[in-house]
Amino acid sequence: MSAHVEGQLPHEPEKATLEGRNKVLGFWLFLGGETVLFGTLFSAFLALRHQVLDGPPAHELFSLPLVAIATALLLTSSLTSVFATQALHRHDNKKLITWLIVTVLLGLGFLCLEIYEFYHYVKEGHGFTTSAFSSSFYTLVGFHGAHVALGIVWISLLIGQLAKKGLTVVTAPKAYVAGLYWHFIDVVWVFIFTVVYLMGKVV
Amino acid sequence: MSSNHSAEEKRPVRHKLEGPQKAIVSFILSVLLTLIAFATVASGGINTDFIYIILIGCAILQVFVQMAVWMHMKDRGHAYATVAILFGVFIVFTCVIMAEYWAWW
C-alpha cells in the first residue's frame, strides 16, 4: 500500500509499518500493566494512610499551593505533548522537537518541585520509615516521580535521535509511544493529587 | 489500473488532520475539573463523604477526557487498547475495594 510519494512520509507514520503498529499495541498492553502496578500501590496507600504513629498526619503535612503548582506543570506538559504528536502527524520534525523540549522542561520543573517537597517532608519528621502512612506515601508518589524521571531521560534521548535521524517510519512510532507514556503519567498524577493530597486534606 | 492510481492519489486528501481545538477544549475541561476538586477541599465545611464523591467523580471524568482525546482512545483501532486498560482498571477496582473496606475489619 504505497499511497504516498517516494521519499515522503505516509499519513500517521507511526502506524505505517507492521513494526510500528506492534509497538503501539505492545505499549498499550504495557500501560495496562502499569495501571495494575499503580493500582496496587494506591490500594496499599488507601489501607495504610491513617496509620501515622508519631509522624505528622496528612492534613498537617501537605500544602495545597505546592500540589496545585505541580499539577499545573504536569497538566500543561501533557498538553504540550499533544501538540508534539500533532506536529508528528503533520510531519513537522522541527515543531515536534520543540514541543518535546517544552514537555521535558515542564517535567523537569515538576521533578524539582517533588524533590524539594520530599526534602521538606523529611525535615518535618516524615521519613520513609516513620510510619506505614509515610512508607506507602513515598512508595506511591516516589514511583510516580521515578516514572517522570524515566520519561525525561527517554524523551531527551528521543529528541537527540529525532534531530540526528529526522522523522521516519522508524522514529515516528517512538515519538508517538513516548507521548502516550507522558499522558499516562499525567493520568496517574490526577489520581495521586486526588487520593493522596486532596483526600488527605479532608479531615 | 488508471482509476486505481487516481484513487490512491486521492487517499491523502481523505485523511483529515486533527486540529488543536479538541486538545485545548480537553485541557480547559481538565483545568476546570482540577479547580473544582481543589476548591471543594479548600472551602471545606461540607460533609466528608460528599467531598470524597465530588473528588473521585472529578478525577474519573478528567482521566476519561484525557484518555479519550489526548491518548486517542476515542479513535478507531483502539479496541485492544481499551481491553488492556479496562483489564487493569478491573484489577485496580478489586484491590482498592479490598483495601478500603476489608483491610481493617
Side-chain angles (χ1 to χ4, degrees):
Chain A
M1 288 290 279
S2 57
H4 60 284
V5 188
E6 189 69 36
Q8 210 181 333
L9 272 178
H11 175 73
E12 295 198 339
E14 77 275 9
K15 289 170 193 152
T17 63
L18 178 62
E19 195 185 327
R21 287 194 293 276
N22 282 344
K23 265 183 190 157
V24 175
L25 173 62
F27 203 79
W28 275 106
L29 300 180
F30 165 71
L31 289 184
E34 288 274 278
T35 308
V36 176
L37 165 76
F38 278 105
T40 51
L41 294 176
F42 267 110
S43 48
F45 177 81
L46 280 170
L48 300 172
R49 69 194 163 116
H50 298 302
Q51 318 303 314
V52 291
L53 289 179
D54 300 328
H59 61 93
E60 279 176 26
L61 197 63
F62 301 147
S63 94
L64 284 186
L66 189 86
V67 184
I69 297 169
T71 305
L73 283 174
L74 209 59
L75 189 62
T76 312
S77 81
S78 208
L79 180 71
T80 58
S81 89
V82 175
F83 292 153
T85 305
Q86 288 191 337
L88 163 82
H89 284 156
R90 280 173 176 70
H91 306 163
D92 190 340
N93 196 27
K94 241 185 186 168
K95 267 197 182 146
L96 167 61
I97 290 175
T98 311
W99 283 120
L100 285 181
I101 290 172
V102 175
T103 306
V104 164
L105 288 178
L106 288 167
L108 267 176
F110 174 86
L111 202 62
C112 290
L113 212 59
E114 188 152 278
I115 290 167
Y116 162 77
E117 184 196 358
F118 282 9
Y119 175 76
H120 178 73
Y121 288 165
V122 170
K123 276 209 304 195
E124 299 263 305
H126 181 72
F128 188 82
T129 54
T130 304
S131 62
F133 162 63
S134 76
S135 301
S136 57
F137 166 82
Y138 282 119
T139 311
L140 171 59
V141 184
F143 246 98
H144 176 267
H147 274 76
V148 175
L150 184 89
I152 288 170
V153 174
W154 177 18
I155 297 176
S156 300
L157 291 172
L158 200 60
I159 289 168
Q161 203 174 49
L162 284 165
K164 204 176 153 198
K165 299 185 177 173
L167 193 57
T168 66
V169 286
V170 180
T171 52
K174 300 181 187 184
Y176 182 81
V177 148
L180 286 182
Y181 179 82
W182 200 259
H183 291 315
F184 185 78
I185 284 177
D186 186 45
V187 161
V188 173
W189 179 254
V190 170
F191 283 114
I192 289 184
F193 83 65
T194 302
V195 172
V196 177
Y197 294 98
L198 293 183
M199 277 169 65
K201 269 288 183 188
V202 179
V203 189
Chain B
M1 188 62 196
S2 66
S3 65
N4 186 22
H5 183 71
S6 68
E8 280 191 347
E9 266 184 344
K10 269 183 196 160
R11 264 196 97 199
V13 184
R14 266 191 278 140
H15 296 307
K16 272 203 181 144
L17 285 168
E18 206 176 77
Q21 296 90 347
K22 272 184 190 165
I24 291 171
V25 168
S26 313
F27 179 72
I28 293 169
L29 212 59
S30 296
V31 171
L32 281 178
L33 287 166
T34 306
L35 284 178
I36 291 172
F38 273 82
T40 309
V41 172
S43 64
I46 333 170
N47 173 288
T48 308
D49 287 335
F50 189 59
I51 293 179
Y52 282 178
I53 290 167
I54 292 177
L55 291 180
I56 300 291
C58 284
I60 289 173
L61 208 61
Q62 181 173 172
V63 163
F64 186 81
V65 169
Q66 289 187 11
M67 292 188 100
V69 180
W70 289 357
M71 294 173 83
H72 302 280
M73 278 179 83
K74 65 172 174 51
D75 295 353
R76 284 172 65 93
H78 282 76
Y80 276 105
T82 310
V83 169
I85 294 298
L86 283 183
F87 173 74
V89 168
F90 170 69
I91 304 280
V92 172
F93 186 73
T94 316
C95 289
V96 165
I97 294 296
M98 181 207 73
E100 244 330 69
Y101 297 105
W102 292 343
W104 299 107
W105 273 12

